[in-house]
């Protein structure tokens, strides 16, 4: 079987593709320039009308073929996710499965109804219909690179747009080349999907290009604000899926051992490098010590290492800068009075799962999105204080409420200022069929998910038709 990706070796002028666990160079790829971006957008813009004019079933067929290609090359996709993004194998397998769901969901979009018949005067028909935007720019992150690019690329293509994708420079293979190869093998016409590589200069050129009708960005709130400001100035659409500093509330009627199991997954999955990670554990004081005991024991029992060579629970952080940032936040919080109950150390990019006790709302571990395997635990006296502390953030992505009473959990959920709330489950959950997105600093109100794709990636056109022209009174 011919592989999807054959990566060139390193050569002068190429940027290394590295393995975060070991620092090994897996190959090299060129960076694009602003001129390359303009050429890609121009080509995509020229190719888009013919793609949109295809029968809906033809676009659906391409996406179904892409799903079959990914099924055939599943092991290769998993390998790249493990080696280039530091995913453990279970996370990589799950990510590939989620992309398959996105492919099948997107393939169903082209044949759905796309308009309305409106009331009008006799002799004239009035319609509202959804039409493609044109060229959609997708800028995707490094943490779940294949899925978080695909969930915008695929529905945008399905609905007749052309797409230019810029993956994060740290995951340009599993976040870019892999998806490009899938679509090429499936028969997406030339230039309907284009890939550009590079850093801030390339991203800026993509956002500012006048032929780009929409920017779909997933990443940090800081960068999202800049993109939102620029797209607002240019009066183009943006979909901003940003950060989170998510609260996990443990009420006094929750079983502490089971709560700690859910919390460990929410805090430590993929080394905590997930926007949905449980970043603030808010625990009622009557169960706090038992909860800390169980959570610390679970953290101490997790293995950390190279996921390509070992069967481990946690792999590396994406790079040295991220590892240093997590270490800084932990160190500053300890200096401010927090205590380390588990972990707190690292070996290169391998950061031990860490539990911090005695955290207060003024500490960096509370105020910052850590994006590392750290569980800061805050103790509160009652449910009212738990809700107030949970809402003391500009972020509003997801929260979880762990309780012995689903009714009590639902009542608490109604008081939490987040776009997603889970009762008696961990914070990390997403699929192709839900309206996924946050409030406040976690996004700009856009939603991913099959049921929202028509709203995100098309625009309304009002169309009227008369059988023949009628004179006016002028």
């Amino acid at each position: 079987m011919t592989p999807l990706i054959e990566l060139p070796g390193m050569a002068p002028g190429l940027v290394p593709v590295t393995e975060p666990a070991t620092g090994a160079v897996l190959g090299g790829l060129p960076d694009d320039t602003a001129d390359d971006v303009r050429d890609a957008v121009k080509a995509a813009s020229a190719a888009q009308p013919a793609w949109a004019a295809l029968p809906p079933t033809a676009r659906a067929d391409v996406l179904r073929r892409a799903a079959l290609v990914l099924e055939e090359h599943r092991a290769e996709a998993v390998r790249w996710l493990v080696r280039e993004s530091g995913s453990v194998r279970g996370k990589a397998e799950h990510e590939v499965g989620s992309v398959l769901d996105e492919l099948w969901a997107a393939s169903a979009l082209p044949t759905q109804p796309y308009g309305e018949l409106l009331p009008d005067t006799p002799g004239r028909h009035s319609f509202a219909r959804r039409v493609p935007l044109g060229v959609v720019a997708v800028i995707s992150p490094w943490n779940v690179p294949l899925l978080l690019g695909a969930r915008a690329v695929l529905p945008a293509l399905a609905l007749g747009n052309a797409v230019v994708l810029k993956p994060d420079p740290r995951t340009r293979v599993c976040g870019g080349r892999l998806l490009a190869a899938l679509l090429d093998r499936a028969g997406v016409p030339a230039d309907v999907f284009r890939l550009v590589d590079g850093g801030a200069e390339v991203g800026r050129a993509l956002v500012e290009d006048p032929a780009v009708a929409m920017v779909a960005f997933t990443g940090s709130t800081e960068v999202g604000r800049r993109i939102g400001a620029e797209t607002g100035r240019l009066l183009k659409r943006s979909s901003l899926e940003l950060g989170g500093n998510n609260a996990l509330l443990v009420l006094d009627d929750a079983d502490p051992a089971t709560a700690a199991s859910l919390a460990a997954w929410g805090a430590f999955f993929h080394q905590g490098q997930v926007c949905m990670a449980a970043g603030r554990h808010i625990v009622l004081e009557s169960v706090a010590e038992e909860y800390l005991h169980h959570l610390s024991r679970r953290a101490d029992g997790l293995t950390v290492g190279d996921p390509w060579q070992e069967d481990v629970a946690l792999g590396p952080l994406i790079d040295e800068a991220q590892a240093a940032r997590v270490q800084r936040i932990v160190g500053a919080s300890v200096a401010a009075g927090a205590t380390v109950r588990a972990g707190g150390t690292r070996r290169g990019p391998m950061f031990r799962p860490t539990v911090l006790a005695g955290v207060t709302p003024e500490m960096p571990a509370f105020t910052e999105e850590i994006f590392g395997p750290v569980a800061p635990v805050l103790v509160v006296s009652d449910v009212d204080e738990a809700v107030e502390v949970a809402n003391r953030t500009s972020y509003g992505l997801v929260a979880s409420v762990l309780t012995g009473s689903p009714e009590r959990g639902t009542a608490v959920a109604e008081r939490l200022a987040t776009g997603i709330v889970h009762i008696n489950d961990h914070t990390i959950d997403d699929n192709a069929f839900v309206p996924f997105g946050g409030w406040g600093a976690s996004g700009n109100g856009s939603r991913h998910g099959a049921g929202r794709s028509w709203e995100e990636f098309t625009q309304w056109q009002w169309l009227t038709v008369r059988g023949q022209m009628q004179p006016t009174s002028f």
Side-chain angles (χ1 to χ4, degrees), residues 436-454:
F436 185 90
W439 299 352
S442 292
N444 66 339
S446 61
R447 290 294 182 269
H448 291 283
R452 300 296 178 269
S453 293
W454 281 97

Side-chain angles (χ1 to χ4, degrees), residues 337-355:
T339 58
V340 176
R341 295 287 291 263
T345 61
R346 72 174 174 116
R347 177 175 50 85
M350 309 295 181
F351 209 105
R352 287 292 311 165
T354 298
V355 178

Side-chain angles (χ1 to χ4, degrees), residues 51 60 66 71 76 122 125 137 187 191 249 252 262 270 277 298 307 327 350 355:
W51 170 248
E71 286 278 18
E76 183 182 355
H125 297 291
D191 296 326
L249 284 65
D252 49 9
L262 292 167
H270 194 39
R298 288 184 176 277
Q327 189 171 44
M350 309 295 181
V355 178

Side-chain angles (χ1 to χ4, degrees), residues 136-161:
V136 173
V138 177
I139 302 175
S140 60
W142 51 262
N143 59 330
V144 193
L146 183 58
L147 174 60
L148 297 186
R151 71 175 182 179
V153 168
L154 300 176
L157 287 174
L159 296 173
N161 301 285

